[in-house]
């Protein structure tokens, strides 16, 4: 009887040796004359356990990890003789870190073969589309609105309202654009879902297309994600072959097709209007709004542009109903959020859970504190434009409004943990420098403000007229926040001001030094 | 069916050739908004976007040379000259900074004798910063000629540098 093994082909798993382990397993099995089948899945998101090897048993999958090439012979011995192994973790679904999650969007990620349409369907795939086809546009809009889904890209705009605007727009052509330009450090959920469950993205976009009346969709992703690009392209080919893309999708009267487009290393292209410019083949320079993309979007046509995680949440909402989704969460933040735990963390990975979990739980309890073993000092939430939170704010619940109330943002759900060796002056300087490098240049506050910001923070670091320069940085941030055209310039003040506010001691020299200097 | 992913990391490029360039441009220029698609294809073939290709792209896409030049220079990906034989990219974004990336970047610069963004004098290695490979849970990370490496430490970095120098 052939052994059925599962090894991730997720870029994060490959980066820590999953390919080598898969090859070693195959070679060692061949040498022993043991028949094995290796299914290359996505990642379950438990990155400290990657490369994770799972074996199918009548009782479900059993996990081993992290497995190195050197572990392969002993692992095969144990598997063949059904004897214990040091790396045995027990049933995968019972691993506490996984069991604590509520996986609606990532339910299949790490479980199925991302290249197999049949596997996707066998695990509940395309149920949402089937129901959407029977409902029609107006009823789908009601479901999406009732689910309370808000854009998972960061701005948190209600998806139902956005779609309705596009649905009502009159035009000869409309588009669905999937923003998969996941440039924020600390985020990798988009990459994981494209690599681990690409048909989910296709299904979500297809439902969006039916709803708003679009016949063409674009997935705009990053050149830094070659594995995701390859996985998405392969899935599109398979979906087309299966009748799920192209003309008369799923035997209906609807036509919808998809194309993957790859960016070229510009962070600002994650901003929706800049992304549209880039898709049209131009420099990714931000457009002033209005007109909204919903009215005047890609190639001047009405366009629903959604983050990949928003689109990936759609199939569940349609398949299980709006109520089932809205039951999770708190306040106006409904459903689940794939939270990405990263940086200096013992248990880094993807943790999907309902809104409302506190920052402290995520960092200390789920993340297990730092891997350096030093105390956690600062946590940046929401990417390079997100605020740095000190321990004092660890009671903040993961919720759009709760973070806004504390001058932060949850953005795309990335959490980057720093230990006490962090120098917050350097982090504040980096935020400005990143903005200066990535600014599209269209508006003055962002283009000039970020450069002046770097210079002024450098003066503070050198100890030059510290209090005056601190005031100047705050003034500059104010100008950027209210004067910039888009979130790049407008949100760069978040990391800078939060560093100044919560970690003041890093910027202002101790009183004795100050006296000596004067 | 057994599927073992075997990535191709070897990067070999053709020397610039006008006829070949014209072919590539023609192949991709029919799509809507094709500029980036065409430029990516040119860079994949030649390893950079040759200056000589810019007027050709402009003509094919009915754009001005200035517009194409503007696109090429706006995006960090497009090279104006070929890179070294190997390209080592180190992630410099926050998650990797938090995991000791700064010290590793400094170490790589010292070992190769060039600052980030430069190619060694012998043209063997181009050392570049990259802002996020999406491997933030196994930080710090690097990419050598398309091969991803996570959980980078001094030992793994030294091995990568040595491999790149070969």
């Amino acid at each position: 009887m052939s052994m059925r093994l599962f090894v991730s082909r997720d870029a994060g798993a490959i980066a820590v040796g999953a390919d080598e382990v898969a090859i070693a397993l195959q070679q060692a099995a061949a040498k022993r004359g043991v028949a094995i089948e290796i299914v290359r899945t996505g990642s379950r998101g438990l990155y400290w356990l990657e490369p994770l090897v799972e074996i199918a048993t009548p009782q479900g999958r059993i996990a081993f990890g992290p497995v190195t090439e050197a572990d392969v012979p002993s692992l095969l011995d144990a598997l063949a003789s059904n004897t214990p192994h040091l790396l045995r973790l027990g049933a995968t679904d019972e691993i506490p870190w996984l069991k604590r999650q509520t996986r609606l969007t990532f339910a299949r990620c790490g479980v199925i073969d991302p290249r197999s349409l049949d596997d996707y369907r066998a695990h509940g795939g395309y149920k949402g589309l089937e129901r959407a086809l029977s409902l029609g546009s107006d009823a789908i809009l009601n479901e999406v609105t009732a689910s309370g889904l808000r854009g998972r890209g960061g701005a948190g705009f209600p998806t139902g309202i956005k779609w309705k605007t596009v649905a009502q727009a009159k035009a000869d052509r409309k588009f669905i654009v999937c923003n998969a330009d996941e440039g924020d450090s600390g985020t990798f959920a988009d990459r994981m879902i494209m690599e681990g469950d690409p048909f989910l993205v296709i299904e979500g976009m297809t439902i969006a297309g039916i709803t708003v009346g679009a016949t063409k969709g674009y997935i705009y992703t990053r050149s830094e994600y070659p594995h995701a690009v390859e996985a998405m392209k392969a899935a599109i080919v398979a979906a087309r072959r299966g009748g799920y893309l192209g003309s008369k999708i799923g035997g209906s009267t609807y036509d919808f097709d998809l194309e993957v487009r790859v960016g070229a290393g510009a962070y600002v292209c994650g901003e929706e209007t800049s992304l549209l410019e880039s898709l049209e083949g131009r420099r990714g320079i931000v457009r002033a709004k209005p007109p909204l993309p919903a009215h005047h979007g890609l190639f001047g046509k009405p366009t629903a542009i959604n983050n990949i995680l928003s689109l990936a949440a759609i199939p569940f909402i349609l398949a299980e109903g709006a109520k089932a989704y809205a039951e999770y969460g708190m306040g106006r933040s409904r459903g689940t959020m794939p939270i990405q735990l990263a940086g200096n963390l013992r248990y880094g990975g993807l943790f999907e859970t309902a809104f409302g979990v506190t920052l402290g739980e995520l960092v200390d309890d789920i993340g297990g504190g730092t891997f350096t073993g030093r105390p956690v000092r600062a946590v940046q939430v929401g990417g390079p434009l997100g605020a740095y939170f000190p321990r004092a704010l660890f009671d903040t619940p993961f919720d759009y409004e709760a973070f806004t109330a504390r001058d932060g943002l949850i953005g795309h759900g990335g959490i980057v943990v720093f230990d006490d060796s962090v120098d917050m002056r350097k982090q504040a300087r980096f935020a400005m420098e990143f903005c200066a490098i990535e600014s599209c240049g269209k508006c003055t506050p962002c283009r000039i403000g970020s450069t002046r910001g770097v210079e002024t923070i450098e003066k503070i670091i050198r100890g030059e007229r510290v209090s005056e320069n601190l005031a100047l940085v705050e003034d500059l941030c104010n100008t950027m926040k209210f004067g910039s055209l888009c979130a790049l310039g407008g949100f760069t003040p978040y990391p800078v001001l939060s560093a100044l506010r919560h970690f003041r001691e890093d910027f202002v020299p101790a009183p004795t030094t100050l006296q000596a200097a004067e | 069916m057994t599927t073992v992913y075997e990535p191709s990391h070897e990067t070999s490029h053709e020397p610039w050739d006008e006829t070949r360039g014209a072919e590539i441009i023609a192949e991709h220029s029919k799509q809507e908004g094709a500029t980036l698609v065409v430029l990516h294809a040119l860079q994949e073939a030649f390893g950079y976007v040759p200056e000589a290709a810019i007027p050709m792209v402009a003509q094919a896409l009915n754009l001005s040379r200035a517009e194409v030049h503007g696109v090429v220079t706006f995006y960090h990906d497009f090279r104006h000259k070929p890179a070294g034989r190997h390209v080592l990219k180190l992630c410099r974004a926050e998650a990797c900074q938090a995991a000791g990336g700064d010290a590793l970047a400094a170490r790589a610069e010292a070992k190769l004798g060039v600052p980030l963004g430069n190619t060694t004098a012998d043209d063997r290695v181009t050392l570049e910063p990259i802002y996020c490979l999406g491997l933030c849970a196994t930080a710090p990370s690097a990419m050598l000629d398309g091969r991803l490496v996570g959980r980078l430490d001094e030992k793994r970095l030294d091995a990568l540098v040595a491999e790149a120098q070969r």
Side-chain angles (χ1 to χ4, degrees):
Chain A
M1 201 184 74
S2 164
M3 268 196 285
R4 193 150 196 253
L5 302 177
F6 303 86
V7 181
S8 174
R9 73 189 310 161
D10 173 278
I14 289 172
V16 292
D19 279 346
E20 286 80 0
V21 167
I23 292 165
L25 278 167
Q26 211 162 40
Q27 288 172 347
K31 212 161 143 191
R32 291 158 188 234
V34 180
I36 65 164
E37 177 195 359
I38 300 175
V39 180
R40 299 302 303 267
T41 61
S43 175
R44 302 259 195 176
L46 289 70
Y47 282 109
W48 77 97
L49 292 177
E50 291 287 6
L52 188 75
V53 174
E54 293 175 77
I55 180 164
T57 74
Q59 291 78 40
R61 291 190 200 171
I62 304 294
F64 298 82
V67 178
T68 64
E69 276 179 88
D71 298 319
V72 165
S74 67
L75 181 64
L76 272 182
D77 287 341
L79 292 176
S81 58
N82 202 18
T83 50
H85 190 273
L86 222 60
L87 299 175
R88 187 186 161 102
L89 302 160
T92 317
D93 293 333
E94 296 299 317
I95 296 173
W97 208 88
L98 191 58
K99 208 180 172 184
R100 277 180 79 172
Q101 302 188 40
T102 303
R103 289 206 160 192
L104 307 184
T105 300
F106 279 77
R108 272 176 298 258
C109 193
V111 177
I112 63 164
D113 176 355
R115 301 293 161 98
S116 165
L117 180 61
D118 290 341
D119 213 7
Y120 179 67
R121 294 194 51 185
H123 286 80
Y126 277 120
K127 270 192 194 153
L129 177 68
E130 275 166 38
R131 176 140 179 273
L133 288 172
S134 72
L135 286 178
S137 176
D138 288 348
I140 301 172
L141 282 174
N142 287 339
E143 284 285 313
V144 175
T145 306
S147 74
L149 179 67
R150 292 166 71 179
R152 295 292 189 252
F157 189 79
T159 305
I161 296 177
K162 187 183 274 186
W163 285 14
K164 195 173 178 185
T165 313
V166 183
Q168 288 173 342
K170 300 259 178 293
D172 56 342
R173 276 201 304 169
K174 296 180 189 178
F175 294 102
I176 302 297
V177 172
C178 172
N179 183 347
D181 195 66
E182 179 178 59
D184 285 359
S185 177
T187 61
F188 43 85
D190 292 2
R191 180 186 63 64
M192 274 183 70
I193 210 76
M194 284 190 278
E195 293 178 16
D197 198 5
F199 293 106
L200 180 68
V201 180
I202 297 173
E203 185 180 354
M205 290 184 75
T206 308
I207 295 170
I210 291 167
T211 314
V212 307
T215 49
K216 177 85 191 259
Y218 286 94
I219 298 163
Y220 184 95
T221 189
R222 316 174 63 219
S223 58
E224 291 87 344
Y225 284 0
H227 298 79
V229 171
E230 195 188 331
M232 244 9 279
K233 284 184 172 170
I236 287 171
V237 171
R240 232 177 250 146
R241 201 176 293 145
Y244 285 99
L245 282 177
S247 59
K248 306 207 178 348
I249 42 163
S252 71
T253 56
Y254 295 101
D255 298 342
F256 188 73
D257 212 344
L258 279 182
E259 195 181 322
V260 177
R261 286 287 176 94
V262 181
Y267 174 76
V268 75
C269 290
E271 195 282 334
E272 61 179 17
T273 61
S274 157
L275 188 156
L276 293 175
E277 288 289 309
S278 185
L279 255 180
E280 290 180 18
R282 286 193 289 272
R283 296 153 60 119
I285 291 181
V286 173
R287 296 178 184 170
K289 288 190 277 193
L292 295 170
H295 294 126
H296 189 93
L298 187 62
F299 305 119
K301 304 294 178 185
T303 301
I305 173 161
N306 290 107
N307 182 264
I308 188 167
L309 295 179
S310 324
L311 291 161
I314 294 291
F316 177 91
I317 292 167
L318 267 298
E320 307 298 327
K323 194 165 164 282
Y325 192 77
E327 268 169 9
Y328 297 100
M330 69 172 280
R332 287 171 50 222
S333 304
R334 310 311 311 174
T336 59
M337 183 76 195
I339 296 166
Q340 298 128 84
L341 301 171
N344 188 348
L345 211 53
R346 226 171 128 200
Y347 305 124
L350 182 118
F351 196 90
E352 183 177 353
T353 188
F355 284 96
V357 58
T358 67
L359 186 56
E361 276 177 78
L362 288 165
V363 173
D364 293 331
D365 187 12
I366 297 161
T370 64
F371 66 65
T372 46
R374 301 172 68 111
V376 173
R377 179 154 186 248
V379 178
Q380 189 178 28
V381 185
L385 311 177
Y388 285 96
F389 276 51
R391 289 205 75 95
L393 297 182
F394 272 19
D395 60 340
T396 314
F398 222 77
D399 163 272
Y400 290 101
E401 279 71 29
F403 266 76
T404 307
R406 289 183 160 178
D407 292 319
L409 44 109
I410 63 176
H412 185 23
I415 292 185
V416 176
V417 175
F418 292 80
D419 70 16
D420 63 350
S421 66
V422 66
D423 177 349
M424 294 308 292
R425 295 179 303 183
K426 260 177 70 183
Q427 298 312 120
R429 183 194 176 282
F430 178 78
M432 283 291 190
E433 187 186 26
F434 187 73
C435 182
I437 295 169
E438 298 297 337
S439 176
C440 84
K442 182 158 178 167
C443 69
T444 318
C446 174
R447 184 183 67 245
I448 309 277
S450 53
T451 299
R452 293 290 98 88
V454 174
E455 292 165 2
T456 313
I457 295 172
E458 278 174 352
K459 285 180 190 163
I460 295 167
I461 293 173
R462 287 199 300 267
E464 287 175 32
R465 295 183 296 127
V466 172
S467 57
E468 281 164 64
N469 280 318
L470 281 171
L472 192 57
V473 170
E474 287 181 31
D475 187 39
L476 198 56
C477 282
N478 204 44
T479 305
M480 289 173 73
K481 188 169 175 178
F482 295 103
S484 298
L485 260 181
C486 85
L488 179 53
F491 286 7
T492 295
Y494 279 98
V496 177
L497 291 178
S498 59
L500 287 179
R501 183 174 311 132
H502 303 304
F503 305 91
R504 197 79 178 178
E505 64 275 18
D506 284 14
F507 294 86
V508 183
T512 46
T513 326
L514 197 67
Q515 277 165 5
E518 284 170 357
Chain B
M1 197 188 78
T2 304
T3 49
V4 169
Y5 179 63
E6 285 174 33
S8 60
H9 301 305
E10 289 307 310
T11 43
S12 57
H13 299 293
E14 314 163 31
W16 164 247
D17 174 89
E18 204 179 301
T19 315
R20 180 83 182 100
E23 255 172 47
I24 293 166
I25 294 167
E27 189 188 337
H28 296 281
S29 58
K30 293 288 173 287
Q31 301 173 48
E32 277 186 290
T35 326
L36 265 69
V37 183
V38 170
L39 294 175
H40 272 308
L42 287 169
Q43 180 150 309
E44 198 178 318
F46 306 113
Y48 68 114
V49 179
E51 192 64 39
I54 290 179
M56 295 165 65
V57 175
Q59 199 182 13
L61 299 177
N62 198 23
L63 298 169
S64 71
R65 282 183 195 200
E67 281 171 301
V68 179
H69 180 75
V71 173
V72 174
T73 51
F74 181 84
Y75 295 96
H76 300 303
D77 276 3
F78 299 125
R79 297 183 191 286
H80 313 294
K81 57 179 203 255
R85 209 181 311 162
H86 297 285
V87 180
L88 178 59
K89 297 185 183 194
L90 297 178
C91 180
R92 302 293 299 116
E94 288 90 337
C96 288
Q97 290 172 17
D102 292 357
L104 292 175
R107 188 179 176 92
E109 288 180 329
K111 288 215 163 250
L112 289 167
V114 289
L116 283 163
N118 289 272
T119 302
T120 55
D122 60 5
D123 266 342
R124 272 177 202 265
V125 190
T126 297
L127 180 67
E128 287 181 341
I130 188 164
Y131 291 93
C132 202
L133 288 160
L135 310 176
C136 321
T138 51
S141 40
M143 182 149 102
L144 176 61
D145 299 335
R147 189 176 94 228
L148 298 169
V149 182
R151 291 183 197 141
L152 203 64
D153 54 18
E154 287 188 356
K155 205 174 135 210
R156 291 179 78 142
L157 175 73
D158 292 354
L160 277 184
V161 169
E163 189 185 335
Q165 282 172 320
R166 274 205 293 272

